[in-house]
Amino acid sequence: MRRGFVIQLYSEADLYPAKFAGRVEHVDSGRADGFRSVDELVRFIEQTIKEIDEASRGEVQEPLTEP
């Protein structure tokens, strides 16, 4: 489920832009973040998918760690 996400809307959230807020989590990686707009939600999903796709193609190098 590489592209699976859980989206939780806060209880005060509404579908109106001024009150659209919640939390989003990528199922496989556990990476999560809060959002306060549809744009922030979409940005998180797009960025996460991009990073996962790049990693699966070997385009992202892991940072070097000191021994």
Side-chain angles (χ1 to χ4, degrees):
M1 188 180 296
R2 287 181 24 193
R3 294 186 177 206
F5 291 84
V6 173
I7 299 170
Q8 175 187 15
L9 296 178
Y10 295 147
S11 60
E12 71 273 6
D14 202 338
L15 293 182
Y16 298 104
K19 292 187 174 186
F20 190 79
R23 180 179 177 278
V24 58
E25 180 176 343
H26 180 247
V27 174
D28 283 353
S29 69
R31 180 180 173 192
D33 201 2
F35 60 87
R36 293 232 164 259
S37 69
V38 173
D39 289 340
E40 288 181 10
L41 170 61
V42 171
R43 189 175 311 118
F44 175 87
I45 292 171
E46 288 176 338
Q47 183 65 35
T48 301
I49 289 172
K50 178 183 173 192
E51 291 173 6
I52 289 168
D53 287 349
E54 289 173 350
S56 70
R57 291 191 304 262
E59 295 177 9
V60 174
Q61 296 181 355
E62 294 296 320
L64 296 176
T65 56
E66 296 293 321

